[in-house]
Amino acid sequence: MADDERKQAVQAAIHGELRLLDPEVRAVPARVLELLDPEFTEIGASGRRWDVESVLTVTSGGSVSAESPVKVSEMSGVLLAPGVVHLTYFAENQGRRAWRSSLWRLTETGWRMYFHQGTLTG
């Protein structure tokens, strides 16, 4: 695979990740569903296990607002295999600081988040 293809895959995953953190996207379940794989799972910073349905409940509940957006830094990604990207980054929101890790996979409808994990930091 060419470097350009690798970069495009990583950029697509980064774009999707940032959209999922956008309060306007999170407020519309249909827009969130466009970005989550049907088999999506998450192990949250709280240790709780999430699926698509439980994430939709939280995202539509205003867990991130325009007044207090998630601050993202140190975002990086790597293409693990054709159609699979791993992202890592640092996120801060309302005093909670966490390292985040996501797996994105390419589907017939585009890049979708397959797995996400957050680990709180001090």
Side-chain angles (χ1 to χ4, degrees):
M1 180 173 275
D3 278 348
D4 278 353
E5 289 176 285
R6 285 189 180 106
K7 287 178 185 174
Q8 287 176 354
V10 169
Q11 284 301 92
I14 289 172
H15 178 72
E17 189 83 38
L18 294 175
R19 283 185 62 209
L20 278 172
L21 295 172
D22 182 333
E24 290 183 19
V25 172
R26 294 169 73 90
V28 182
R31 292 177 76 188
V32 174
L33 282 174
E34 290 172 359
L35 296 166
L36 295 181
D37 192 275
E39 297 177 25
F40 169 82
T41 58
E42 175 178 342
I43 299 171
S46 64
R48 180 176 172 191
R49 186 177 171 98
W50 302 81
D51 60 14
V52 172
E53 207 170 290
S54 57
V55 164
L56 285 177
T57 301
V58 171
T59 57
S60 62
S63 60
V64 173
S65 69
E67 294 78 38
S68 61
V70 176
K71 294 176 187 153
V72 173
S73 60
E74 302 181 50
M75 176 84 73
S76 66
V78 64
L79 184 70
L80 297 177
V84 180
V85 170
H86 178 225
L87 297 180
T88 58
Y89 62 98
F90 186 75
E92 188 172 350
N93 183 255
Q94 299 177 357
R96 285 182 57 145
R97 301 162 41 99
W99 281 107
R100 302 259 172 205
S101 176
S102 299
L103 288 176
W104 286 78
R105 71 178 177 181
L106 186 58
T107 69
E108 292 175 2
T109 58
W111 286 93
R112 291 179 166 217
M113 184 186 285
Y114 176 75
F115 177 78
H116 186 79
Q117 181 166 358
T119 304
L120 292 177
T121 65

